[in-house]
Amino acid sequence: MRFATPQLAWSFDIEPIHSVDFHPRRAELLVGGADSSGEGVFLRTWDFKPGKLFSDEGQDVAAEPRWESRLGHSKSVNCARFSPSGLCFASGGDDAHLLVWEERATPKAFGSAETVQGWAQTRSLAGHSKEVYHLDWLRDERYLVSGSHDFSVIVWEVRKGRMLQRFDGPTGYVKSVVADPLGKYFLAFSCDRTLRIFKAMKQKKLGFNIKHAIRRFSQTESLEEFSDREENPRDDKEDLHSLHSGAERDPKAADLCFVPDSVDESMFIRADWSPDGSLFLVPRAQFRPEPPVPAPQASPLVVSQPTLYGVHLFTRENLTCPALFYPCDRPVNLVRFCPIIFWAGEEKLFDSPFMFLFAVASYNALTLYSTTSIAPLFRLQNIHYARISDLAWLGYSLVACSSMDGYITFASLQAKLDDRIVKEEDLPPDLQLARKIEVPEPKPVFPQGDNVQKIIFKNGKKTIIPKMIGS
């Protein structure tokens, strides 16, 4: 394992970085964050050169700026994600707006005939009243889901630029939303320590309803119990006291699945689904082992067990109870699955032919796991001066780890797994069908009118028809 932290100003003038993502088809890195200079550069893309990251030329030549936004968001960007096809990306931030960007050829300079590939804003989605913390694409790219500081989750119809559904309900900020690769579910995690699972309804028009609200190990709340708790919220300080003191005020407090937001509070919390949709990971997990049963001759006083922090892993067969717990020394805030699917081999933790890699980040530590073992593949600590903010994968050999200190660390996995990569034709038929993306015919971004040149698209190619303005 190798790692490097290039001394590059990824965000404008080494500002805090809130989001990173790699293009699914090429080595292009999307970076979103803050900009206190007044220039309004909240989004940038970089041509990344992984071969030069550990070369003798030095780390600072591993990336070159490709594009930056001067228009669009008016405040910091909190999350930016490429669509599954890579033809567009979406961004959301503190201005409460979501913007959709599509790849376009733009003039290299004003009046120049030479063009460069860049990104142009094509949609603006307004519906949240406060900061947007997280967003994710549904597999067919026609829909987006977003979570906000205003306690709401919104499903968007991207092509029409409108809100499809809005869910108001949690008593905490919605910090994470993530869509199932098969398109049947999406998850929303909020600061009230509740994981909600939404299921697509069987109807002609896409729609979702709340299937589960998970807060405790022992049971999944019914919708009636969930609604009653929203109207009469409990004080999490009682639960926090019960977990960290010898006296149990609430006998059910040790049954809570997730860490209170007051413990190692983080601005960003991000869950994730596996590439085939069979597993999903939820951070901010906690687990308290059962106290040992004292021997008859021993003292009746039983010392309470310490609370363990880590990640809960759920399976698609049982959405309401974690199947595994991956421990960590501090509360985990971020998880990200590698997009590559591997054959599992003989060592398995699940009855599945596939293996997945995933990265886990706490305050200032990065850990890499596989789904075939509880033991980590490697761990990096104290790699940044500030909190880790996001994770991204380039293939299976490189993990990007951004920080609020304005830098990005890249960790390289040295293992050779090419012979274990699952080919597309070997995937289950339902997953093959879900991964086939219908690319819509592009539409012109420029205004149309009598005094403007006509732009038409024929067979996927752009044709410009000049318009005579005057004789």
Side-chain angles (χ1 to χ4, degrees):
M1 186 274 296
R2 295 183 296 177
F3 70 96
T5 307
Q7 301 300 298
L8 295 172
W10 299 95
S11 189
F12 194 86
D13 197 21
I14 316 183
E15 298 284 349
I17 299 174
H18 297 166
S19 176
V20 288
D21 197 28
F22 277 110
H23 194 280
R25 301 288 183 266
R26 59 177 181 261
E28 181 178 0
L29 180 63
L30 173 62
V31 180
D35 178 15
S36 60
S37 67
E39 297 289 336
V41 183
F42 300 109
L43 286 165
R44 276 185 170 183
T45 63
W46 293 74
D47 284 325
F48 191 71
K49 303 171 184 178
K52 295 186 177 181
L53 189 61
F54 303 104
S55 67
D56 297 334
E57 299 179 54
Q59 303 171 1
D60 299 346
V61 298
E64 295 179 354
R66 181 182 184 188
W67 169 86
E68 63 183 26
S69 68
R70 294 280 176 175
L71 299 172
H73 289 284
S74 58
K75 294 182 179 180
S76 299
V77 170
N78 294 326
C79 185
R81 291 289 185 264
F82 282 110
S83 64
S85 69
L87 295 177
C88 52
F89 73 83
S91 58
D94 288 351
D95 57 4
H97 282 75
L98 282 90
L99 303 182
V100 179
W101 308 76
E102 293 184 9
E103 195 167 16
R104 290 286 188 270
T106 57
K108 191 171 183 180
F110 181 76
S112 173
E114 186 179 356
T115 61
V116 294
Q117 289 297 112
W119 300 88
Q121 178 191 332
T122 58
R123 294 284 186 274
S124 178
L125 308 176
H128 289 295
S129 59
K130 292 185 179 180
E131 298 95 324
V132 176
Y133 279 138
H134 202 202
L135 61 89
D136 199 15
W137 291 87
L138 273 69
R139 170 52 67 174
D140 60 5
E141 301 192 1
R142 292 184 296 172
Y143 304 97
L144 270 173
V145 60
S146 61
S148 171
H149 193 282
D150 63 6
F151 301 176
S152 70
V153 175
I154 296 180
V155 181
W156 305 90
E157 192 170 4
V158 177
R159 294 183 186 179
K160 295 185 179 180
R162 68 183 182 92
M163 186 190 307
L164 187 66
Q165 278 184 292
R166 180 186 176 102
F167 299 92
D168 295 298
T171 56
Y173 316 140
V174 181
K175 289 290 187 76
S176 180
V177 288
V178 57
D180 168 23
L182 299 182
K184 189 176 180 180
Y185 301 99
F186 76 83
L187 316 174
F189 184 78
S190 50
C191 286
D192 62 350
R193 307 162 76 181
T194 302
L195 173 68
R196 291 184 295 166
I197 302 177
F198 298 80
K199 184 179 180 180
M201 296 180 286
K202 294 182 179 180
Q203 56 186 24
K204 292 183 178 179
K205 190 177 181 181
L206 179 68
F208 291 88
N209 58 14
I210 301 178
K211 182 68 175 176
H212 302 290
I214 301 170
R215 184 175 170 86
R216 299 180 181 274
F217 287 112
S218 60
Q219 62 182 0
T220 302
E221 292 178 312
S222 66
L223 295 183
E224 291 77 12
E225 292 171 330
F226 183 64
S227 300
D228 178 68
R229 184 169 57 79
E230 288 176 336
E231 296 174 1
N232 304 285
R234 294 179 54 189
D235 187 0
D236 281 343
K237 292 182 179 180
E238 291 292 321
D239 297 333
L240 181 62
H241 172 84
S242 301
L243 286 170
H244 294 280
S245 65
E248 290 273 354
R249 293 191 179 185
D250 180 4
K252 294 184 179 181
D255 200 29
L256 293 167
C257 289
F258 304 108
V259 181
D261 197 50
S262 57
V263 178
D264 200 10
E265 183 177 0
S266 174
M267 181 177 177
F268 303 110
I269 299 172
R270 283 159 186 175
D272 201 16
W273 278 89
S274 64
D276 70 335
S278 63
L279 309 170
F280 64 89
L281 294 167
V282 183
R284 302 293 295 177
Q286 66 180 9
F287 177 71
R288 189 176 184 185
E290 291 291 335
V293 178
Q297 66 274 14
S299 169
L301 179 63
V302 177
V303 179
S304 61
Q305 297 294 303
T307 300
L308 303 177
Y309 301 120
V311 180
H312 287 318
L313 185 145
F314 294 77
T315 64
R316 195 178 189 88
E317 288 72 26
N318 187 358
L319 300 173
T320 61
C321 185
L324 275 179
F325 176 79
Y326 287 85
C328 191
D329 60 338
R330 294 185 65 168
V332 172
N333 302 315
L334 311 168
V335 293
R336 193 81 184 262
F337 269 105
C338 171
I340 309 298
I341 303 176
F342 304 92
W343 293 114
E346 296 181 359
E347 296 183 2
K348 296 181 181 180
L349 294 176
F350 303 95
D351 186 17
S352 170
F354 303 136
M355 179 193 78
F356 308 98
L357 303 176
F358 62 92
V360 171
S362 57
Y363 178 87
N364 199 16
L366 172 67
T367 310
L368 188 66
Y369 290 95
S370 77
T371 54
T372 58
S373 174
I374 295 292
L377 298 177
F378 70 76
R379 179 178 174 83
L380 297 174
Q381 285 185 300
N382 302 322
I383 52 178
H384 285 282
Y385 290 108
R387 182 181 296 276
I388 295 174
S389 58
D390 204 2
L391 301 170
W393 286 84
L394 179 61
Y396 72 83
S397 60
L398 197 69
V399 184
C401 172
S402 66
S403 171
M404 299 293 284
D405 63 10
Y407 293 99
I408 302 175
T409 293
F410 298 91
S412 176
L413 181 66
Q414 300 298 298
K416 300 297 182 182
L417 301 174
D418 292 345
D419 58 336
R420 297 178 62 178
I421 296 177
V422 180
K423 297 180 180 179
E424 195 74 22
E425 57 268 21
D426 295 330
L427 295 173
D430 56 342
L431 183 58
Q432 290 188 40
L433 182 62
R435 291 164 73 98
K436 290 182 179 179
I437 303 170
E438 295 182 4
V439 180
E441 190 165 313
K443 296 180 181 180
V445 190
F446 307 102
Q448 300 288 305
D450 293 336
N451 295 329
V452 184
Q453 61 184 9
K454 298 294 183 181
I455 301 175
I456 63 174
F457 289 87
K458 189 174 182 180
N459 297 326
K461 296 182 179 180
K462 183 170 70 174
T463 305
I464 299 177
I465 303 177
K467 179 71 174 179
M468 182 67 73
I469 296 178
S471 56

